[in-house]
Amino acid sequence: MAAWSSAQGGQSKPDSPQVTRVGPMALHFERAGFDPDFVDYRAGLDLQQQVHDEVVAGTRGNTVLLLEHDPVYTAGRRAEPSEYPYDGTPVVPIGRGGKITYHGPGMLIGYPIVRLTPPIQPVKMVRVLEQIIIAVVADFGVKAATVEGRSGAWVSADDRGPDRKLAAIGMQVSRKVTMHGFALNCSNDLRPFGKIVPCGIADAGVTSISQETRREVKPADLAERMEIELARLESDGLIEIFEPEQPAAPLDLASPRGLTQRPTDRRVLT
């Protein structure tokens, strides 16, 4: 059974899937902010960079940040000006792959900041994340799949419409450590996607778990299930399993780097 150690007193659930640990723990989970404590995107980017630097230096173990953002558009390295919001809404350029997308309340954002094992295989990392997301949403009543030539998780075309993107994935690897990650539509307003060409794809739609199931499913509802499934990053041999000699200090959103005053909810899967 999966057992939780949490600064907030998290406990295991009797129906949690079996998770087996061999050797040092490799993944630490930090819930940085869920409704109503949305995380400003630039503050979250700063937090990502802080964690990335520490994982590179070996002073913090592999870490996954889970959160919801305030509304924001971000542009990856391949974004074209023609794909920007039609109404001139500001866009934050970032170093991940991919094009332009939207983040906002009701989306489960996951940032795996982990050391990759050689040879570095960022595409394989994306493929594994796709399967993790597909497995998680299946437990909430959504049948998702991959689409050849396109990243992310999708709901296939049916009588309700064309192929619909459920989750976007965009990664960056620097000094063998990943940044950025995935955005899974849970209960978010889909109208902001109408102002852009989401991920540069003009011939498909966008959907959410709530829209597909016709019931409200919030990011916090998926968090624990997602954390358990992300343990696959270890079993697939993608990430280096290590722990710093001294435990890393708890992440604090009240750090001097301009983050909001709120401690993260720390969880370690054992």
Side-chain angles (χ1 to χ4, degrees):
M1 182 178 295
W4 294 101
S5 169
S6 170
Q8 300 291 325
Q11 298 178 346
S12 60
K13 291 187 175 182
D15 58 350
S16 297
Q18 181 77 23
V19 177
T20 303
R21 285 286 180 258
V22 179
M25 292 179 295
L27 283 176
H28 298 258
F29 294 92
E30 302 276 356
R31 297 187 185 180
F34 288 110
D35 184 9
D37 298 317
F38 306 118
V39 177
D40 173 79
Y41 186 81
R42 289 178 176 84
L45 186 59
D46 196 5
L47 182 63
Q48 276 196 78
Q49 188 62 62
Q50 173 191 335
V51 173
H52 181 275
D53 292 346
E54 292 171 351
V55 173
V56 168
T59 57
R60 182 177 298 278
N62 294 314
T63 298
V64 179
L65 304 177
L66 294 176
L67 53 94
E68 292 179 70
H69 277 307
D70 285 318
V72 66
Y73 292 102
T74 67
R77 295 186 300 270
R78 297 190 297 112
E80 300 290 340
S82 61
E83 297 161 351
Y84 277 38
Y86 307 140
D87 62 356
T89 302
V91 176
V92 179
I94 55 177
R96 62 162 170 80
K99 297 203 171 190
I100 190 165
T101 194
Y102 166 79
H103 297 322
M107 301 172 73
L108 176 61
I109 308 299
Y111 296 132
I113 305 173
V114 298
R115 285 188 190 177
L116 298 182
T117 54
I120 305 302
Q121 302 179 75
V123 174
K124 184 177 179 181
M125 177 77 166
V126 171
R127 299 287 90 86
V128 171
L129 286 175
E130 288 171 342
Q131 295 306 314
I132 286 171
I133 291 168
I134 288 169
V136 170
V137 301
D139 285 353
F140 290 83
V142 178
K143 183 179 180 181
T146 56
V147 173
E148 185 175 356
R150 293 175 171 177
S151 66
W154 296 75
V155 174
S156 299
D158 55 20
D159 56 4
R160 298 175 62 185
D163 288 346
R164 304 180 291 282
K165 194 163 193 176
L166 182 67
I169 300 175
M171 303 293 298
Q172 175 183 355
V173 180
S174 174
R175 294 175 288 173
K176 302 181 181 180
V177 175
T178 60
M179 281 184 63
H180 304 293
F182 63 85
L184 172 58
N185 298 335
C186 298
S187 56
N188 50 301
D189 183 356
L190 300 177
R191 288 175 296 181
F193 289 105
K195 297 181 180 180
I196 59 173
V197 180
C199 303
I201 299 170
D203 60 346
V206 181
T207 192
S208 68
I209 296 174
S210 295
Q211 179 158 299
E212 294 298 321
T213 62
R214 294 183 170 89
R215 70 180 191 276
E216 186 176 51
V217 180
K218 295 184 176 182
D221 298 332
L222 278 75
E224 183 168 343
R225 181 69 185 90
M226 182 63 73
E227 289 167 345
I228 293 170
E229 196 66 27
L230 282 165
R232 290 176 54 179
L233 293 175
E234 296 176 286
S235 59
D236 285 339
L238 276 173
I239 66 174
E240 178 184 337
I241 299 176
F242 77 100
E243 282 294 315
E245 292 183 4
Q246 299 294 327
L251 288 176
D252 190 351
L253 292 177
S255 77
R257 303 174 76 162
L259 304 182
T260 57
Q261 295 186 352
R262 186 175 67 254
T264 63
D265 181 358
R266 164 172 286 194
R267 293 167 185 259
V268 180
L269 200 57
T270 59

